[in-house]
Amino acid sequence: MAEKMDAPNNVSQPDDSISITRRSSTSRTITEDQDKEREKVRARNPNGFSRTTSGGVDVVSAEEAFQELNRQFSRTSRLSRQQSRVSRTKSRISSHKKDVEDADVEKLSMEESEEAWDLETTLHGNRAADEESGIRPKRIGVAWENLTVKGIGGVRNIVKTFPDAFVSFFNVPGTIMSILGVGKKGREFNILQNFRGVVKPGEMVLVLGRPGSGCTTFLKVIANQRYGYTSVDGEVLYGPFDAKTFDKRYRGEAVYNQEDDIHHPTLTVGQTLGFALDTKTPGKRPGGMSKNDFKEKTIDLLLKMFNIEHTKNTIVGNAFVRGVSGGERKRVSIAEMMVTSATVCAWDNTTRGLDASTALDYAKSLRIMTDIYKTTTFVSLYQASESIYSQFDKVMVIDEGKQVFFGPTGEARSYFEGLGYKEKPRQTTPDYLTGCTDPFEREYRDDAEGRNAPQTADQLVAAFDHSGISKALAEEMATYKAEVQQEKQVIEDFKLANQQAKRHAPKSSVYAIPYYLQIWTLMQRQFLLKWQDKFTLCVSWFTSILIAIILGTVWLKLPKTSSGAFTRGGLLFISLLFNAFQAFGELASTMMGRGIINKHRAYTFHRPSALWIAQITVDMLFASVQIAVFSIIVYFMCGLVLDVGAFFTFVLVIISGYLAMTLFFRTVGCFCPDFDYAMKFAATIITLFVLTSGYLIQWGSEQVWLRWIFYMNALGLGFSTLMMNEFKRLTMTCDSNYLVPSGPGYDNLDNQACTLPGGIPGTNQVSGKEYINLSFQYDSADLWRNWGIIVVLIVAFLIMNSTFGEAIKWGAGGKTVTFFAKEDAELKKLNEELARKKEKRHEQKGQEESSDIDINSTAVLTWEDLCYDVPVPSGQLRLLSNIFGYVKPGQLTALMGASGAGKTTLLDVLAARKNIGVISGDILVDGKPPGTAFQRGTSYAEQLDVHLATQTVREAFRFSADLRQPYHVSREEKYKYVEEVISLLEMEDIADAIIGDPETGLAVEQRKRVTIGVELAAKPELLLFLDEPTSGLDSQSAFNIVRFLQKLAKAGQAILCTIHQPNSALFENFDRLLLLQRGGQCVYFGDIGKDAHVLLDYFARNGANCPSNANPAEWMLDAIGAGQAPRIGDRDWADIWRDSPELANTKEEIIKVKAQRLQEVGEAAPVEQKEYATPLWHQIKIVNKRTQLDFWRSPNYGFTRLFNHVIIALLTGLAYLQLDDSRTSLQYRVFVIFQFTVLPALILSQVEPKYDLSRLVFYRESAAKAYKQFPFALSQVLAEIPYSILCAVAFFLPIYYIPGFQSASSRAGYQFFMALITEFFAVTLAQVISACTPNSFIAMLLNPPIIIIFSLFCGVTIPKPQIPGFWRAWLYQLDPFTRLIGGMVVTELHDRPVHCKEIEFNTFTAPSGQNCGSYMQDFFAAGGPGYLASNVTDTCQYCAYKVGDEFYSALSYDFSNRWRDLGIFLAFIGSNLIILFVGSRYLNFNRR
């Protein structure tokens, strides 16, 4: 906690409080000392399941325990560094020197001595230093009464399908209300009801409740975070301040730490905490310490406190960027919130992902800081141990949003037992209290009190209201409120301390630093974010330079003639457009960054608007350098005007365009609630911007109602500025292509005219100013005016960006909603049957439950001398070392060990999921090597719950049964088995629920059940593997899952399951244990026994005795040194195991089992080994059916794509409304056709993420041998076809008929086929790119260069004759758009008559004595294009084209080739499909 924790330690430290035994020359001495310390800790604060008898926290024993914790921190820090040095050294040494050098490394580590570090003394010292410096203590209590929180819900939401998107879109008022968050999507209900309580400074409250009971809502509301709820009623007082006042004046003093860890993945741990401290370093610091010293000392303290010093320079990472581990990331989140130095702290399930010892250390750290700094602390935890529970003063129990208990921790258990609930001495108090709120888990005593015990949440509330604890609470609240009114000095100290924490910030501000310092701090962070994201930076630079070089070679040394006029404009437009749309990624990053912004806003680190200003400032720096390099390459290779001022203006305008579009996309990202709205909005505005930019349709030719957009369009203003900048300095020579008449006998300029706009009869020189004035209506005098408007737009977008960022809080509330499939007759009947079964099960509660599940598993899996090595830069790293074991049917085997011991690795190896590394040793099924059917015969429930989001639970189970159970089993039998699985997993209520994703679907525990159910539905013939099936669950859910696994084992299933720190009740359910220690070494394999007596006897015989009150599952991990404590004993437990009789017995048992099974199997008929259970055609049928349903239930995906097609076609059609037959319209018709090339750009960005997400599910299912890659890839193609046809029709009709294209069926039909082929080509191209890249992020980075190259070389922006020979010879021919443009242009313009407008005629005079007809006769006879307005005058008015064919023949197109072009374009789709099927078959990016 910033100002609280980081003063220098000015207080002298008593020797006995921090005494640490110095490292002696032998490890034995250290181990003995550590053992003694260990036993002392156990004696004082046993880590078991004993009942609490005191009335709260015993301060004296807690302080003694903390002294041990302090020593533990010091020792752990030292051991951690020691281990890291050992591992680094080990990776460099060869195997034959291993033993010798290991000893040397250990000796080297032992000889180093380090200063001991003491947590409590440090914090006490800091507090004393604060007081000496005049820094006031800051403490405030919280009281709440009649607290009721309401939200929207309670309605069964039916899953949305594709047609629903149309209904909601055309319901305009409803859509607007939805965007603005107005209007209700269900009925209002109470999330929390009538809560009351008080927590004084220095007290800790544990908040308990089942998932969904309201714990998170309570913590958020008590931390004064009320966004996302319809109302918060009742009174919450922070000291004397009500919630509104406290939020306005002291917002950062109450903070909430959410369950999920959201950080910038590319910042290091040190930088993440450093940024937090930059915004929170107080103005008044102890001992006049400098800001930098304070910052460094605080970071070091926080890292030491949580034993993550080694991660200081490691990036934080996330699910996609590799960084620190999940547990370490959780500790970073905890440390970051401590920096806020808030007085009221709410922590939501902050021990998720931490092992038991780290979780306990965290709880003790909170305890000691709460005691010293008198903070008010609220914590909700899942699977809290008794040791953690004993750290708290009070406990709150919530049931269905109602407060059923609030009082001292020491009285809670006896209170619930007194109500009539059965005593459960072996259950931890938190588990017992939570279990009393679960109607299916609580048990009643067999006496009168038991029969009258509360059975509903309302009855529990009534019982509490009439209890003595409730009366005591009322008295305590009254006393507290009276004290608050009298303790004026405490409140004054709080106000003064709040001011002292500020650094130059205004008194009224809730932020610690002023606005300008927030911007400066954010600029520093933004620089690090950009600089450290090397991959994105390199790709961006590579793309920019690549495109610059391509542009430079295509327009190499542009001629200063009339032939270079149009292409010069094309170059300027593409240079501006490419750089402006480099900013498109800002849309996604802005929306994805909302979580961090909302968190930092709540922590009062900075205002959101400060971030946007800082971001654009730093972006301008990075972009300016990149654009300058781009400009140098393009400008000088293409031979643009060689003028210093012109060059720098060119660079300035492109940078300005980039900044304007960056801010535009960020503004859209702030304003829109989700990505689909943003895509629709952005597609509409971008289309308008591009159409009105002045290149595709000149300003004077635009529809009058569109012209005003020019003045709000940074692209149009930028393009006009670039054109003025270039052409005002340019005078062009009219070459023969533009002189009329030209050819033999026409060499007198007095009788010729230049057809280029701006040409003057009698001269071949054309002024650039006149050219842009006549062609584009640009006046070069407006150059700086237009740039000035761009600057105004930049400022306007920045203001809008900042305003929306401050005012709109998308994602700050957030509540998951479950959707259900529509119930038909079949589902209704099935659900009624499930409900009957459920009722029957509850009636038979306590009796042995029967099951219809029939498991015929007889095979035994054995592994001997199993090793696994993976390649690392320094050679080979061994992850598993000489492991022996087996799994028999009917046995539930636990696989346990420290984090990083190799549990998941062993499961992957046994389940044949590894595709890298070297596996040695024997893995045998019934004494034989596993056949091709092995993977299909086993089921593996992996740790990550990867499912198709649009499936229901029942559909997911049926899909698994359809493809993984044998083909000869009837569908009715498979589906009947699925209903049994649903019943056994107790998922009756959510059988038709949509699985969704973690944010908007089933809860964590429900998703875990789905993962297990999918594997069970496959009815594995051999065995079931499960990886961490209880991680992230509350203790009740974890118990239910393990109890179910035991049920399966009893039915005859062979199960091997990794388990994460189980309590004793969970551990009792397992038959056997395989225990690993770090390095993948086995330390035990064998029976566990009743009350773990077999396991504990093994440890006792080898010198480690388990205390009677300890949980064996936690103790054994500590004993082998898996936690933070050193191992018990002087020998390595892996060495003990290698020499043990238990290992010899295991080897004998393996030999015996193999021989027995070989004999039994040998007598049975041989079984055919099939890699897949079902034939290929069946796989295609089932997978395609599911994929079609997936697309149907993804309304936003299909509708956003359709909307973008319609809006682009509609706007383009209206912009070119009913084109006439003029000469200019010929070019416009080509530009309309060119708009067809926009489709792939849109489609790629939508199809790639869809394919990538589907592929993640395919990786899991293909590893289980459910189906091949061909059905997957084919189903993705087939599912896109209906939507592609719909989009093609919706795009074609407006863009073809509104501009007035040829309506003859032979022409329109051909053009529609081209539109349809373009759609299919774009979809298959997107799938090819996705199939050939590891993820959609990399695929997205490839899109811009691909689309730009395709658009550049198709013959529109630069005609074929002008493309340099190198590119023309191959890239022009290989460009699919060449066929698209070539076929469509000739079909539209063939035989189309041209009638020039008055302004389009070129005027020249015929030689004296001749009229125009006779003068031009030879020109026309030689095949010259165009016609004369009149043949009989001597002032000739010449129109450049008579028929459309004359226009496109100059572009090297031919009408006779149009069907050839269509065929070649179709062939491109064929080549895409071939690459797709081959790529998806042989490119496996799922490395494991």
Side-chain angles (χ1 to χ4, degrees):
M1 303 178 122
E3 77 228 54
K4 297 174 180 173
M5 293 190 301
D6 224 296
N9 198 346
N10 295 340
V11 179
S12 61
Q13 300 172 350
D15 291 340
D16 59 341
S17 70
I18 57 163
S19 63
I20 298 289
T21 309
R22 289 283 186 195
R23 291 192 182 97
S24 60
S25 56
T26 65
S27 61
R28 180 183 293 274
T29 310
I30 284 188
T31 309
E32 288 171 357
D33 290 341
Q34 289 168 347
D35 286 350
K36 289 174 186 174
E37 288 177 9
R38 238 179 117 63
E39 291 305 319
K40 285 179 189 173
V41 177
R42 277 207 200 92
R44 291 182 187 128
N45 196 353
N47 182 10
F49 297 89
S50 58
R51 294 269 302 278
T52 324
T53 53
S54 64
V57 173
D58 182 345
V59 177
V60 177
S61 62
E63 283 180 355
E64 288 181 20
F66 282 132
Q67 297 295 346
E68 294 300 336
L69 172 66
N70 300 334
R71 298 188 186 105
Q72 190 64 51
F73 270 130
S74 180
R75 181 167 60 245
T76 303
S77 175
R78 189 172 69 235
L79 289 171
S80 171
R81 284 189 286 269
Q82 189 176 315
Q83 285 169 358
S84 66
R85 278 192 295 271
V86 172
S87 63
R88 281 198 300 272
T89 310
K90 279 183 180 177
S91 67
R92 292 193 296 266
I93 59 181
S94 57
S95 57
H96 68 278
K97 293 182 179 177
K98 184 175 185 297
D99 295 335
V100 180
E101 293 200 28
D102 270 8
D104 292 341
V105 172
E106 188 172 7
K107 186 178 177 184
L108 178 74
S109 303
M110 292 294 181
E111 287 172 355
E112 293 179 16
S113 70
E114 295 170 13
E115 287 300 314
W117 179 77
D118 179 351
L119 172 65
E120 187 176 13
T121 309
T122 303
L123 294 181
H124 271 302
N126 295 344
R127 181 69 238 135
D130 287 350
E131 288 170 3
E132 283 177 20
S133 303
I135 296 173
R136 297 300 176 92
K138 190 170 57 164
R139 59 181 190 265
I140 206 155
V142 184
W144 60 97
E145 196 158 9
N146 298 323
L147 176 62
T148 299
V149 181
K150 295 182 179 179
I152 296 297
V155 174
R156 190 179 173 96
N157 298 285
I158 301 300
V159 64
K160 297 281 189 292
T161 56
F162 184 59
D164 292 324
F166 289 86
V167 176
S168 60
F169 177 75
F170 289 109
N171 175 17
V172 178
T175 304
I176 293 170
M177 287 168 71
S178 168
I179 292 174
L180 298 175
V182 182
K184 297 182 180 179
K185 300 172 186 173
R187 64 178 176 83
E188 191 175 55
F189 75 108
N190 290 335
I191 302 174
L192 304 179
Q193 187 175 336
N194 293 329
F195 277 48
R196 63 193 176 93
V198 61
V199 182
K200 298 171 185 174
E203 287 186 336
M204 288 173 64
V205 178
L206 178 63
V207 181
L208 295 175
R210 289 178 296 147
S213 61
C215 297
T216 295
T217 298
F218 174 75
L219 291 177
K220 289 177 85 169
V221 171
I222 214 71
N224 222 6
Q225 293 191 19
R226 300 179 169 212
Y227 181 81
Y229 305 109
T230 53
S231 74
V232 180
D233 303 322
E235 183 183 51
V236 181
L237 292 175
Y238 301 87
F241 308 107
D242 62 33
K244 194 172 181 182
T245 307
F246 200 70
D247 183 61
K248 186 178 177 183
R249 291 165 58 186
Y250 308 108
R251 174 146 52 91
E253 293 295 346
V255 290
Y256 164 77
N257 186 284
Q258 64 191 33
E259 191 172 348
D260 297 318
D261 306 309
I262 305 172
H263 300 282
H264 286 291
T266 56
L267 289 182
T268 66
V269 171
Q271 288 165 349
T272 301
L273 298 179
F275 168 75
L277 278 160
D278 283 335
T279 64
K280 282 291 183 179
T281 299
K284 189 162 188 176
R285 294 179 289 276
M289 195 188 302
S290 74
K291 175 182 170 295
N292 285 338
D293 285 349
F294 182 90
K295 176 179 167 183
E296 287 304 313
K297 286 177 183 292
T298 305
I299 291 173
D300 289 343
L301 170 63
L302 288 166
L303 296 179
K304 278 180 180 176
M305 185 183 292
F306 294 110
N307 189 32
I308 49 173
E309 292 165 281
H310 58 285
T311 68
K312 185 174 183 178
N313 297 315
T314 308
I315 64 169
V316 177
N318 61 13
F320 307 105
V321 179
R322 198 172 203 173
V324 298
S325 72
E328 288 165 342
R329 196 175 302 128
K330 173 59 69 182
R331 284 176 258 180
V332 174
S333 299
I334 296 167
E336 183 187 42
M337 187 167 120
M338 286 185 171
V339 169
T340 63
S341 67
T343 46
V344 179
C345 301
W347 308 86
D348 193 358
N349 197 19
T350 33
T351 57
R352 189 179 79 177
L354 304 183
D355 59 68
S357 57
T358 308
L360 177 59
D361 289 341
Y362 155 70
K364 288 185 175 181
S365 301
L366 280 186
R367 175 77 264 170
I368 206 164
M369 283 192 300
T370 302
D371 285 344
I372 292 172
Y373 293 109
K374 301 300 177 191
T375 54
T376 307
T377 306
F378 298 83
V379 186
S380 79
L381 296 177
Y382 288 159
Q383 301 189 40
S385 70
E386 196 70 29
S387 305
I388 290 175
Y389 181 76
S390 68
Q391 305 303 318
F392 290 87
D393 303 290
K394 294 177 178 176
V395 61
M396 172 185 282
V397 183
I398 304 175
D399 183 17
E400 296 177 9
K402 298 178 177 72
Q403 178 182 303
V404 298
F405 181 84
F406 180 77
T409 49
E411 298 176 23
R413 188 161 193 147
S414 56
Y415 166 77
F416 279 94
E417 288 171 351
L419 290 178
Y421 295 112
K422 185 181 282 187
E423 296 178 18
K424 296 182 178 179
R426 290 188 61 80
Q427 201 171 29
T428 64
T429 304
D431 287 1
Y432 178 76
L433 299 181
T434 310
C436 287
T437 67
D438 188 335
F440 304 126
E441 299 304 325
R442 59 189 171 211
E443 296 178 40
Y444 305 100
R445 295 208 309 266
D446 294 329
D447 53 19
E449 281 187 343
R451 286 190 290 276
N452 296 322
Q455 300 199 0
T456 65
D458 289 327
Q459 288 175 3
L460 278 166
V461 171
F464 178 69
D465 287 344
H466 291 95
S467 69
I469 295 174
S470 176
K471 292 185 180 73
L473 174 61
E475 290 170 10
E476 186 184 9
M477 289 177 70
T479 307
Y480 168 76
K481 287 180 180 176
E483 286 173 356
V484 166
Q485 298 305 318
Q486 293 166 7
E487 290 179 341
K488 302 293 181 189
Q489 186 57 46
V490 173
I491 303 306
E492 289 305 313
D493 282 350
F494 173 78
K495 290 179 179 176
L496 185 58
N498 185 268
Q499 292 301 321
Q500 289 175 337
K502 291 177 182 173
R503 200 168 83 246
H504 316 304
K507 285 189 175 182
S508 60
S509 173
V510 294
Y511 297 94
I513 56 174
Y515 198 63
Y516 71 90
L517 275 181
Q518 291 176 32
I519 293 171
W520 173 242
T521 305
L522 285 159
M523 281 173 64
Q524 292 172 300
R525 186 188 72 176
Q526 184 66 11
F527 181 85
L528 289 172
L529 283 170
K530 296 281 269 189
W531 183 250
Q532 288 175 190
D533 190 1
K534 291 289 193 295
F535 180 78
T536 306
L537 202 61
C538 289
V539 169
S540 177
W541 270 89
F542 174 77
T543 306
S544 184
I545 291 171
L546 175 70
I547 296 298
I549 291 170
I550 290 172
L551 292 178
T553 53
V554 170
W555 279 290
L556 189 65
K557 293 297 175 192
L558 282 169
K560 292 184 179 178
T561 64
S562 51
S563 296
F566 179 72
T567 49
R568 204 172 281 259
L571 170 67
L572 296 175
F573 184 65
I574 287 179
S575 298
L576 176 68
L577 204 63
F578 167 72
N579 285 290
F581 284 113
Q582 285 276 75
F584 187 72
E586 293 299 327
L587 191 60
S589 63
T590 299
M591 304 188 87
M592 288 168 68
R594 286 173 176 173
I596 297 173
I597 293 171
N598 289 328
K599 180 174 76 169
H600 287 178
R601 185 208 309 254
Y603 287 177
T604 60
F605 284 172
H606 62 83
R607 297 182 74 95
S609 56
L611 172 68
W612 304 122
I613 295 169
Q615 269 194 339
I616 201 66
T617 310
V618 174
D619 286 352
M620 186 164 64
L621 171 68
F622 277 86
S624 297
V625 179
Q626 189 173 317
I627 288 170
V629 172
F630 173 90
S631 300
I632 289 168
I633 296 169
V634 170
Y635 202 89
F636 295 106
M637 281 184 76
C638 297
L640 296 176
V641 174
L642 291 175
D643 179 276
V644 175
F647 170 72
F648 283 109
T649 304
F650 177 85
V651 176
L652 179 66
V653 172
I654 290 183
I655 291 172
S656 304
Y658 168 81
L659 292 176
M661 293 310 291
T662 298
L663 287 166
F664 166 73
F665 286 126
R666 283 184 185 159
T667 304
V668 171
C670 284
F671 175 73
C672 293
D674 59 46
F675 197 71
D676 290 298
Y677 276 110
M679 281 295 287
K680 291 171 196 164
F681 188 74
T684 307
I685 303 298
I686 290 166
T687 305
L688 282 172
F689 279 3
V690 173
L691 285 173
T692 60
S693 60
Y695 176 69
L696 296 178
I697 181 168
Q698 284 72 47
W699 189 83
S701 303
E702 284 175 13
Q703 304 296 324
V704 176
W705 56 272
L706 274 177
R707 290 182 185 177
W708 62 273
I709 295 174
F710 174 82
Y711 296 103
M712 299 176 62
N713 180 359
L715 294 179
L717 292 161
F719 177 64
S720 66
T721 308
L722 289 175
M723 290 290 282
M724 295 171 197
N725 179 53
E726 179 68 19
F727 283 95
K728 75 173 186 178
R729 296 176 168 87
L730 195 65
T731 301
M732 295 169 286
T733 304
C734 200
D735 57 25
S736 58
N737 293 330
Y738 282 80
L739 274 176
V740 289
S742 61
Y746 297 103
D747 50 12
N748 186 350
L749 277 174
D750 292 335
N751 304 117
Q752 290 175 298
C754 186
T755 57
L756 189 72
I760 300 167
T763 175
N764 66 348
Q765 296 297 300
V766 181
S767 162
K769 281 185 182 181
E770 284 301 312
Y771 167 69
I772 60 170
N773 193 7
L774 284 173
S775 281
F776 297 90
Q777 289 79 47
Y778 293 154
D779 184 346
S780 54
D782 295 337
L783 189 153
W784 292 109
R785 181 205 70 175
N786 287 3
W787 180 77
I789 297 173
I790 297 176
V791 174
V792 171
L793 285 174
I794 290 171
V795 174
F797 282 139
L798 183 55
I799 292 169
M800 287 167 67
N801 192 357
S802 302
T803 306
F804 288 149
E806 292 280 354
I808 299 174
K809 299 181 182 178
W810 298 123
K815 191 167 85 266
T816 57
V817 177
T818 305
F819 290 90
F820 291 83
K822 220 169 192 172
E823 198 175 61
D824 57 19
E826 183 207 1
L827 294 182
K828 190 174 182 183
K829 186 180 174 186
L830 289 171
N831 290 335
E832 285 171 356
E833 181 60 33
L834 285 174
R836 274 197 296 273
K837 275 189 182 177
K838 184 178 181 180
E839 192 62 38
K840 189 178 175 185
R841 189 169 67 243
H842 292 154
E843 286 170 6
Q844 296 175 345
K845 188 174 150 185
Q847 301 172 24
E848 192 63 36
E849 294 174 29
S850 62
S851 166
D852 295 339
I853 280 199
D854 178 29
I855 295 169
N856 300 313
S857 179
T858 54
V860 179
L861 179 74
T862 61
W863 56 95
E864 301 169 81
D865 204 25
L866 186 62
C867 298
Y868 177 60
D869 301 278
V870 292
V872 292
S874 56
Q876 293 283 323
L877 176 65
R878 177 150 290 187
L879 297 182
L880 298 175
S881 182
N882 310 102
I883 299 175
F884 290 81
Y886 55 86
V887 180
K888 291 181 179 179
Q891 288 191 340
L892 180 55
T893 305
L895 173 54
M896 294 180 66
S899 178
K903 302 186 294 294
T904 300
T905 304
L906 178 57
L907 278 190
D908 283 350
V909 169
L910 292 177
R913 294 297 197 268
K914 289 292 184 191
N915 52 26
I916 56 172
V918 178
I919 299 169
S920 57
D922 293 328
I923 300 174
L924 304 174
V925 178
D926 291 340
K928 298 177 183 176
T932 53
F934 175 72
Q935 275 175 272
R936 179 176 61 79
T938 57
S939 283
Y940 184 7
E942 299 186 37
Q943 194 171 349
L944 295 176
D945 306 313
V946 180
H947 302 284
L948 194 65
T950 53
Q951 274 187 302
T952 66
V953 172
R954 181 180 273 118
E955 286 163 359
F957 291 2
R958 285 183 167 189
F959 181 82
S960 180
D962 268 330
L963 290 173
R964 293 171 64 184
Q965 286 191 27
Y967 182 60
H968 63 77
V969 178
S970 69
R971 201 170 81 155
E972 290 72 23
E973 198 175 329
K974 289 177 180 177
Y975 287 3
K976 187 183 175 190
Y977 185 79
V978 163
E979 297 305 306
E980 277 298 319
V981 172
I982 292 171
S983 182
L984 274 176
L985 281 168
E986 298 175 7
M987 300 180 79
E988 296 93 343
D989 295 337
I990 55 167
D992 293 323
I994 301 296
I995 296 169
D997 53 52
E999 284 76 38
T1000 58
L1002 297 181
V1004 174
E1005 182 254 343
Q1006 293 168 331
R1007 295 174 69 80
K1008 185 60 71 181
R1009 285 171 187 250
V1010 174
T1011 301
I1012 296 168
V1014 162
E1015 298 306 320
L1016 290 177
K1019 211 171 184 181
E1021 297 164 6
L1022 298 176
L1023 75 161
L1024 175 63
F1025 296 105
L1026 301 104
D1027 191 8
E1028 303 276 11
T1030 61
S1031 60
L1033 307 184
D1034 67 294
S1035 48
Q1036 206 60 56
S1037 302
F1039 181 76
N1040 289 345
I1041 280 178
V1042 172
R1043 188 188 60 183
F1044 169 66
L1045 293 178
Q1046 188 190 43
K1047 204 185 296 180
L1048 276 180
K1050 283 180 180 174
Q1053 184 73 63
I1055 302 173
L1056 179 59
C1057 166
T1058 65
I1059 198 85
H1060 190 65
Q1061 306 289 0
N1063 60 37
S1064 56
L1066 277 187
F1067 196 53
E1068 279 179 355
N1069 287 282
F1070 290 91
D1071 302 304
R1072 300 180 71 77
L1073 169 71
L1074 173 54
L1075 183 60
L1076 298 179
Q1077 72 175 19
R1078 286 191 181 92
Q1081 296 177 311
C1082 183
V1083 295
Y1084 181 77
F1085 176 74
D1087 290 336
I1088 295 172
K1090 184 170 175 56
D1091 294 331
H1093 75 275
V1094 178
L1095 171 70
L1096 298 181
D1097 179 59
Y1098 172 78
F1099 276 97
R1101 278 189 283 111
N1102 290 287
N1105 292 296
C1106 176
S1108 58
N1109 57 4
N1111 170 14
E1114 290 180 0
W1115 174 84
M1116 69 177 183
L1117 290 171
D1118 288 340
I1120 65 170
Q1124 295 194 356
R1127 69 165 185 250
I1128 297 175
D1130 56 354
R1131 281 188 70 196
D1132 188 280
W1133 284 97
D1135 294 337
I1136 294 171
W1137 172 250
R1138 278 191 283 271
D1139 299 335
S1140 70
E1142 281 81 1
L1143 175 59
N1145 291 339
T1146 299
K1147 291 178 179 177
E1148 286 175 18
E1149 181 66 16
I1150 290 172
I1151 293 167
K1152 180 180 165 188
V1153 165
K1154 284 195 301 186
Q1156 182 183 340
R1157 287 300 300 156
L1158 275 170
Q1159 184 182 354
E1160 290 172 7
V1161 172
E1163 292 168 359
V1167 180
E1168 185 186 356
Q1169 292 281 321
K1170 287 183 181 176
E1171 188 176 7
Y1172 295 92
T1174 57
L1176 183 64
W1177 67 266
H1178 183 74
Q1179 294 174 25
I1180 292 171
K1181 180 180 127 184
I1182 299 294
V1183 175
N1184 181 54
K1185 180 184 173 185
R1186 181 180 73 166
T1187 311
Q1188 296 284 358
L1189 187 62
D1190 173 35
F1191 278 62
W1192 183 248
R1193 285 184 184 159
S1194 306
N1196 282 339
Y1197 172 73
F1199 184 75
T1200 301
R1201 188 168 140 197
L1202 179 65
F1203 176 87
N1204 290 346
H1205 278 72
V1206 171
I1207 202 73
I1208 288 172
L1210 204 57
L1211 291 173
T1212 304
L1214 291 171
Y1216 295 101
L1217 185 66
Q1218 290 302 307
L1219 292 172
D1220 53 26
D1221 292 331
S1222 66
R1223 170 184 157 186
T1224 313
S1225 292
L1226 289 177
Q1227 185 66 56
Y1228 289 161
R1229 287 176 192 277
V1230 175
F1231 280 145
V1232 170
I1233 290 167
F1234 187 60
Q1235 283 292 88
F1236 279 73
T1237 66
V1238 173
L1239 292 185
L1242 282 174
I1243 292 167
L1244 290 183
S1245 63
Q1246 281 192 283
V1247 172
E1248 284 166 353
K1250 182 76 173 168
Y1251 183 94
D1252 191 40
L1253 284 171
S1254 302
R1255 184 172 59 178
L1256 291 176
V1257 180
F1258 162 70
Y1259 282 148
R1260 178 183 64 77
E1261 292 172 337
S1262 67
K1265 301 298 178 185
Y1267 53 93
K1268 296 182 178 180
Q1269 57 75 34
F1270 181 72
F1272 164 71
L1274 182 63
S1275 70
Q1276 291 293 312
V1277 174
L1278 294 176
E1280 293 280 3
I1281 289 175
Y1283 304 93
S1284 296
I1285 294 171
L1286 183 63
C1287 287
V1289 172
F1291 182 79
F1292 179 76
L1293 293 175
I1295 204 169
Y1296 193 81
Y1297 289 104
I1298 294 177
F1301 275 31
Q1302 299 209 31
S1303 56
S1305 57
S1306 62
R1307 304 290 178 92
Y1310 177 90
Q1311 304 287 48
F1312 175 69
F1313 274 126
M1314 275 298 202
L1316 196 57
I1317 292 169
T1318 305
E1319 193 77 26
F1320 289 146
F1321 168 76
V1323 168
T1324 53
L1325 176 67
Q1327 292 171 338
V1328 163
I1329 294 171
S1330 216
C1332 297
T1333 50
N1335 54 54
S1336 55
F1337 177 68
I1338 294 174
M1340 291 281 200
L1341 292 171
L1342 292 176
N1343 293 346
I1346 289 171
I1347 294 299
I1348 286 169
I1349 289 168
F1350 280 1
S1351 301
L1352 203 57
F1353 291 99
C1354 67
V1356 174
T1357 50
I1358 179 164
K1360 179 187 175 184
Q1362 294 178 31
I1363 297 176
F1366 170 74
W1367 298 118
R1368 191 169 65 237
W1370 66 281
L1371 195 49
Y1372 173 80
Q1373 301 296 339
L1374 282 176
D1375 188 343
F1377 290 180
T1378 299
R1379 311 302 159 190
L1380 167 69
I1381 299 295
M1384 293 189 78
V1385 166
V1386 298
T1387 303
E1388 172 56 26
L1389 299 187
H1390 180 60
D1391 290 341
R1392 176 174 282 282
V1394 179
H1395 305 291
C1396 280
K1397 295 177 184 173
E1398 192 64 36
I1399 195 172
E1400 293 173 337
F1401 283 107
N1402 295 105
T1403 305
F1404 55 90
T1405 54
S1408 57
Q1410 288 184 276
N1411 61 23
C1412 295
S1414 58
Y1415 175 57
M1416 294 286 284
Q1417 188 174 356
D1418 293 345
F1419 174 75
F1420 288 129
Y1427 68 91
L1428 290 168
S1430 172
N1431 288 331
V1432 295
T1433 60
D1434 61 351
T1435 301
C1436 309
Q1437 284 191 301
Y1438 170 75
C1439 181
Y1441 307 108
K1442 184 177 184 179
V1443 69
D1445 303 60
E1446 295 175 348
F1447 176 82
Y1448 67 67
S1449 59
L1451 305 174
S1452 300
Y1453 293 139
D1454 192 328
F1455 184 73
S1456 63
N1457 291 335
R1458 68 184 191 131
W1459 288 106
R1460 180 204 69 181
D1461 287 342
L1462 185 141
I1464 295 173
F1465 201 13
L1466 264 176
F1468 276 112
I1469 297 176
S1471 68
N1472 281 349
L1473 291 173
I1474 291 167
I1475 297 169
L1476 171 63
F1477 295 139
V1478 172
S1480 59
R1481 169 69 180 85
Y1482 295 105
L1483 293 174
N1484 181 6
F1485 297 104
N1486 187 32
R1487 311 303 288 162
R1488 55 188 291 182

